Amino acid sequence: MPDDPMPDNPAPAAARPGPARRAAEPLAWWTVLLAGYLALAAGITVTEITVGALTAAACAAAAVAGHRALLSPGRARRAVPPARVLPALAPLPAQITADTARVLVRGPTGGRWTDLGVAPGPAGRAAATLLLSSSPGTYVGAVDPDRGLLRVHRLARGPSPLERRLRAAGLVTGPAGEAP
């Protein structure tokens, strides 16, 4: 049996955190998000504080819900090792610049859809989706976790340097018949 660097068996069950620890996560999210909002606001008024507090609360709730859904006890934790992802990020700034220029000059029209295979597990799908969608020239329009596919729209004819790096890292695979 081949060695799987990311086994499907879940991590040992940890003790359920107490109420103080369960409350600390949303409070920490809310505090950081509100501080970030107020740092970007033109002026600190009662309206800005109210809008920031409500928005931060909604975003903190979403962050906590997502974290608990993905990492709840009993679920397989298939983290993507940073060593696999970090080398793939090298061409990202240049690609964002080139794609932005391409969109500004030619407009956002055109392009084509393709299906890419994706690494198994929610962490691999999430990393591939986020990274592929981080540049204006490529975005993930749909995810099919049952078949392990991402439906990707590209403005360029072939895979971008970032996509080639993600293929080398094993986060995505190209469609049949397409050169890497």
Side-chain angles (χ1 to χ4, degrees):
M1 172 166 29
D3 291 332
D4 185 358
M6 294 182 291
D8 281 328
N9 54 354
R16 183 170 170 83
R21 185 158 178 170
R22 284 195 309 271
E25 183 183 8
L27 183 60
W29 275 110
W30 180 81
T31 303
V32 169
L33 291 167
L34 176 59
Y37 179 87
L38 293 176
L40 297 173
I44 298 182
T45 64
V46 173
T47 303
E48 290 291 349
I49 293 170
T50 304
V51 168
L54 293 173
T55 304
C59 292
V64 170
H67 178 251
R68 291 184 182 164
L70 288 174
L71 299 177
S72 62
R75 290 183 68 89
R77 295 185 186 199
R78 294 185 64 111
V80 178
R84 282 179 58 197
V85 177
L86 291 178
L89 297 178
L92 188 57
Q95 183 174 331
I96 290 172
T97 303
D99 286 348
T100 301
R102 181 182 296 122
V103 169
L104 290 174
V105 171
R106 294 191 329 195
T109 59
R112 56 183 64 155
W113 289 95
T114 188
D115 291 327
L116 300 178
V118 66
R125 282 193 304 272
T129 300
L130 175 68
L131 293 172
L132 283 171
S133 298
S134 62
S135 184
T138 310
Y139 71 91
V140 176
V143 179
D144 184 353
D146 295 332
R147 293 182 20 207
L149 293 176
L150 299 177
R151 184 84 171 138
V152 178
H153 185 269
R154 300 180 189 145
L155 289 178
R157 293 180 187 245
S160 66
L162 175 67
E163 185 180 323
R164 285 192 289 274
R165 292 276 184 108
L166 293 176
R167 288 181 188 190
L171 287 176
V172 295
T173 59
E178 182 179 85

